[in-house]
C-alpha cells in the first residue's frame, strides 16, 4: 500500500484520522485547495477558449481532449499474501510509469517541439492546453512561462490522482484475492484438519464462516469504494481513446514525429489503466468462482450429518458471485474491456467520417 498511500497522501486525498493533529489537517486542506486550483486553472480557460475563441471543430476537439483527461495463520498464507502484494505493486508501478511518462511528453516535449508560430504581426507560442484568459494575455512574458508551469503542475496533479486510484484499486483487489485463497485452504481443511488445531470439525466450520463473512464484508467495502472510479475510468477511456486515435491521425497527416510518439504513449497509458481495472475485476470474479467450486466439492460425506448441515450456509454464501460493478452498470471484466475498446474505436470512426 506504500505506493498509492504516498501518492494520494501527497495531494491530500488520503483520509485523515480523527485524532490527527491540527497541522496535519491544515496541510491536507491546503493540498486539496491547491489541487482544485490547478484543476480550475486548466479547465476554465480551456472551456472559455472552446466556446468564445475557436471556430474550427477540429481545433475544439483538440483542446477538449486534455481538458477531459484526468488475518494470516500459516507461513504459506503469509507468502501468498506477500506475492499478491508484489503483483499489486508491479501493476501500480507500471500504471505510474505509463501515466507520468505520457504526461511529461504531452505537457513539455510536444508544445516545445512545435515552436512559435507567427500569424501576421503576432507570435503565438504553443501551450499543452490552449487557453483563453480574460484578464491577461497568456502569450506575453512572463505570463506565458507562468501558464506553462501552471499547466504542467495541473497535469501532474491529474496524473497523480489517476495513478493513485489505479494503484489503490490493484492493491485492494489483490488483497481480496489473497484472502479468498486462504478461505479455500480453510474450506479444504474442514474435513482433513491438517492445518488447524481444532479437533472438532464444527469449530473448523465456524472458523471458515467467520473468515468468509470478513472477506465478504471487505469485498463489499471495496466495491463501494471503486464503483464510481471504475465508472469514470470507463467513460474516460471510451472518450479519450476515441480522441487520441483522432489526434494520431491528425499528427500522421501532419508528419509530426513528436506528436505521434506522444499520442501513442497516451493511448497506451489510457488503455493500460483501463486494462488494469478490468483485469483485477476479472481476477476477483475468477477467485470467487474458485471459492464456489471448492465449497461444492468438499468431502462432506466424511463428516457427520450434523456437521454436514453446518456446511449449507458456507455453500450458499460461496455461490454468491463476486465482482466489481462500475456505477452499478457494468461488470469490470476482460470481456467488457474488449467491448469498451470496440466502442471507442466505433466512436473514432464516426468522428473521423463526420469531421
Amino acid at each position: 500500500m506504500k505506493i498509492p498511500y504516498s501518492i494520494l497522501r501527497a495531494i491530500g486525498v488520503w483520509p485523515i484520522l480523527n485524532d490527527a493533529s491540527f497541522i496535519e489537517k491544515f496541510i491536507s486542506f491546503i493540498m486539496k485547495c491547491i489541487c482544485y486550483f490547478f484543476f480550475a486553472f486548466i479547465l476554465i480557460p480551456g472551456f472559455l477558449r472552446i466556446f468564445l475563441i475557436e471556430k474550427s471543430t477540429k481545433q475544439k476537439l483538440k483542446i477538449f481532449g486534455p481538458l477531459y483527461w484526468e488475518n494470516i495463520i500459516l507461513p504459506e498464507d503469509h507468502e501468498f499474501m506477500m506475492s499478491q502484494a508484489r503483483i499489486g505493486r508491479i501493476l501500480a508501478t507500471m500504471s505510474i510509469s505509463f501515466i507520468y511518462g505520457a504526461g511529461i511528453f504531452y505537457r513539455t516535449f510536444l508544445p516545445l517541439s512545435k515552436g512559435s508560430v507567427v500569424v501576421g504581426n503576432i507570435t503565438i507560442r504553443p501551450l499543452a492546453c490552449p487557453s483563453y484568459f480574460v484578464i491577461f494575455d497568456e502569450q506575453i512574458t512572463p505570463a506565458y512561462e507562468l501558464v506553462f508551469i501552471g499547466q504542467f503542475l495541473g497535469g501532474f496533479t491529474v496524473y497523480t490522482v489517476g495513478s493513485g486510484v489505479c494503484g489503490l484499486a490493484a492493491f485492494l483487489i489483490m488483497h481480496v484475492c489473497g484472502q479468498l485463497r486462504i478461505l479455500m485452504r480453510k474450506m479444504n481443511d474442514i474435513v482433513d484438519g491438517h492445518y488447524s488445531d481444532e479437533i472438532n470439525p464444527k469449530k473448523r466450520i465456524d472458523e471458515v464462516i467467520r473468515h468468509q463473512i470478513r472477506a465478504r464484508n471487505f469485498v463489499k467495502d471495496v466495491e463501494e469504494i471503486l464503483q464510481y472510479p471504475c465508472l469514470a475510468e470507463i467513460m474516460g477511456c471510451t472518450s479519450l481513446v476515441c480522441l487520441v486515435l483522432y489526434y494520431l491521425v491528425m499528427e500522421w497527416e501532419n508528419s509530426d514525429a513528436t506528436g505521434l510518439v506522444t499520442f501513442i504513449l497516451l493511448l497506451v497509458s489510457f488503455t493500460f489503466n483501463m486494462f488494469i481495472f478490468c483485469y483485477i475485476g476479472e481476477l476477483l470474479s475468477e477467485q470467487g468462482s474458485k471459492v464456489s467450486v471448492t465449497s461444492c466439492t468438499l468431502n462432506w460425506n466424511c463428516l457427520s450429518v450434523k456437521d454436514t448441515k453446518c456446511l449449507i450456509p458456507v455453500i450458499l454464501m460461496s455461490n454468491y458471485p463476486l465482482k466489481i460493478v462500475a456505477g452499478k452498470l457494468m461488470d469490470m471484466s476482460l470481456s467488457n474491456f474488449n467491448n469498451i475498446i470496440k466502442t471507442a474505436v466505433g466512436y473514432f470512426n464516426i468522428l473521423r467520417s463526420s469531421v
Side-chain angles (χ1 to χ4, degrees):
M1 290 289 291
K2 288 184 178 179
I3 295 177
Y5 171 79
S6 302
I7 292 175
L8 296 178
R9 183 69 184 273
I11 58 176
V13 177
W14 193 269
I16 297 295
L17 298 177
N18 293 329
D19 58 350
S21 65
F22 172 78
I23 295 178
E24 289 179 327
K25 293 180 180 179
F26 180 73
I27 292 175
S28 177
F29 174 76
I30 294 298
M31 294 306 298
K32 289 178 183 178
C33 292
I34 292 174
C35 290
Y36 290 137
F37 168 76
F38 281 127
F39 290 152
F41 184 80
I42 294 176
L43 292 175
I44 295 176
F47 283 120
L48 286 175
R49 186 178 182 90
I50 288 176
F51 293 112
L52 300 180
I53 302 298
E54 295 294 343
K55 306 300 180 183
S56 170
T57 304
K58 288 187 176 182
Q59 289 301 320
K60 289 183 178 182
L61 285 172
K62 199 156 188 177
I63 297 173
F64 181 75
L67 297 182
Y68 194 80
W69 187 55
E70 315 253 281
N71 187 17
I72 301 173
I73 300 176
L74 301 176
E76 293 85 350
D77 294 340
H78 176 76
E79 181 60 31
F80 184 76
M81 290 299 295
M82 292 302 295
S83 68
Q84 296 296 96
R86 283 192 291 269
I87 294 174
R89 189 180 300 112
I90 291 172
L91 292 176
T93 303
M94 293 179 67
S95 173
I96 292 170
S97 300
F98 280 125
I99 290 178
Y100 281 109
I104 289 174
F105 259 87
Y106 184 79
R107 298 281 170 171
T108 56
F109 297 148
L110 184 61
L112 292 177
S113 67
K114 299 284 186 183
S116 301
V117 178
V118 178
V119 180
N121 295 325
I122 301 175
T123 301
I124 299 177
R125 293 181 286 181
L127 292 168
C129 303
S131 307
Y132 173 57
F133 294 88
V134 179
I135 58 176
F136 64 89
D137 185 358
E138 70 277 5
Q139 292 296 321
I140 300 176
T141 300
Y144 173 82
E145 287 75 12
L146 293 175
V147 170
F148 190 95
I149 294 173
Q151 289 188 353
F152 176 83
L153 294 176
F156 181 83
T157 305
V158 174
Y159 309 145
T160 301
V161 173
S163 59
V165 171
C166 187
L168 180 63
F171 273 101
L172 290 176
I173 296 300
M174 298 312 297
H175 179 78
V176 171
C177 291
Q179 290 297 320
L180 294 177
R181 174 71 176 269
I182 295 174
L183 176 62
M184 287 187 284
R185 195 267 302 160
K186 288 178 178 286
M187 286 182 177
N188 289 321
D189 198 46
I190 289 176
V191 179
D192 302 330
H194 294 319
Y195 301 103
S196 178
D197 296 331
E198 297 292 345
I199 300 176
N200 190 348
K202 174 67 167 56
K203 292 186 177 180
R204 294 199 292 269
I205 294 174
D206 292 342
E207 185 179 351
V208 167
I209 292 175
R210 286 194 296 270
H211 190 97
Q212 191 170 33
I213 291 174
R214 287 196 299 267
R216 287 280 174 174
N217 289 337
F218 187 73
V219 171
K220 183 179 179 181
D221 292 338
V222 171
E223 184 177 357
E224 286 293 323
I225 293 172
L226 296 182
Q227 61 172 328
Y228 295 113
C230 287
L231 179 62
E233 191 70 24
I234 289 175
M235 297 174 63
C237 178
T238 304
S239 303
L240 291 171
V241 168
C242 169
L243 290 172
V244 170
L245 286 173
Y246 182 76
Y247 300 157
L248 271 174
V249 173
M250 292 176 62
E251 298 299 337
W252 178 270
E253 292 176 348
N254 295 332
S255 300
D256 188 341
T258 306
L260 280 173
V261 172
T262 301
F263 287 118
I264 288 174
L265 288 175
L266 287 174
L267 181 63
V268 172
S269 174
F270 297 145
T271 306
F272 183 75
N273 258 30
M274 186 72 253
F275 174 78
I276 287 180
F277 277 95
C278 293
Y279 173 70
I280 60 179
E282 183 81 14
L283 280 181
L284 179 62
S285 299
E286 182 181 340
Q287 206 70 16
S289 299
K290 290 181 179 180
V291 171
S292 176
V293 172
T294 301
S295 67
C296 296
T297 55
L298 296 175
N299 295 326
W300 55 266
N301 56 299
C302 299
L303 301 173
S304 65
V305 175
K306 186 178 180 180
D307 291 337
T308 302
K309 290 181 179 179
C310 294
L311 287 175
I312 293 176
V314 175
I315 297 174
L316 290 176
M317 197 181 301
S318 299
N319 280 274
Y320 186 81
L322 295 176
K323 53 188 176 181
I324 299 296
V325 183
K328 300 182 179 179
L329 297 174
M330 178 186 293
D331 297 347
M332 302 303 292
S333 62
L334 294 180
S335 60
N336 280 332
F337 172 75
N338 293 332
N339 294 332
I340 293 169
I341 297 301
K342 289 178 182 178
T343 303
V345 174
Y347 286 147
F348 160 70
N349 290 329
I350 295 174
L351 184 65
R352 177 68 175 156
S353 60
S354 59
V355 178

